[in-house]
Amino acid sequence: MAQYNVSDIIHSGFVSEVANGRVKVSLFRPEACGGCQMKDYCGGDNDERQEFEVAANGYQVGDEVQLLMSTSTGLRAVLVAYLVPFAVLLLSLIAGLEMGLTEAEAALVSLSTTGLYYILLKMMSGSIKNHFSINIQKLQTHE
């Protein structure tokens, strides 16, 4: 059984897909996020299913598992997904206004710049995944 710290973020779920050494784990947000300290920042209050893809072998579809993520990894995700784009939006808006653009033009530039940030983030998602470690462990079933 994997070791974890008290400050780790732990979510239960089930394996929904297995392919090429990768496991897709599905969990329902209300169960997963109900007790999580980060739910207010990531939008964890809605009812949609959340899926995580983890590199792992030895799992089958339907296995009950736990996902373990350090709090620092969660904070890093919030930084990349929310705080950096907000800073890009704000700084590009201020820069546009300082360059003499009208408010509408500066707003359009800042929204476009933020959109470009998210496009680049999506394009780099493969390399970014390497910086976020999510561990998986099979739950013991008592039959």
Side-chain angles (χ1 to χ4, degrees), residues 2-3 6 8 12-13 15-16 23 32 36 39 43 56 61 69 77 101 103 106 110 112 128 132:
Q3 295 290 331
V6 174
D8 284 347
S12 297
V15 175
S16 60
V23 174
C36 180
K39 72 178 178 182
V61 173
M69 179 176 60
L101 298 176
E103 289 179 359
S110 65
S112 299
I128 290 174
F132 293 93

Side-chain angles (χ1 to χ4, degrees), residues 120-133:
L120 290 173
L121 194 63
K122 181 68 174 172
M123 290 172 48
M124 297 173 41
S125 66
S127 63
I128 290 174
K129 283 182 184 178
N130 297 332
H131 297 285
F132 293 93
S133 70

Side-chain angles (χ1 to χ4, degrees), residues 53-70:
E53 194 172 304
V54 182
N57 290 311
Y59 293 90
Q60 297 177 351
V61 173
D63 285 348
E64 291 186 26
V65 295
Q66 279 187 332
L67 295 178
L68 305 150
M69 179 176 60
S70 69

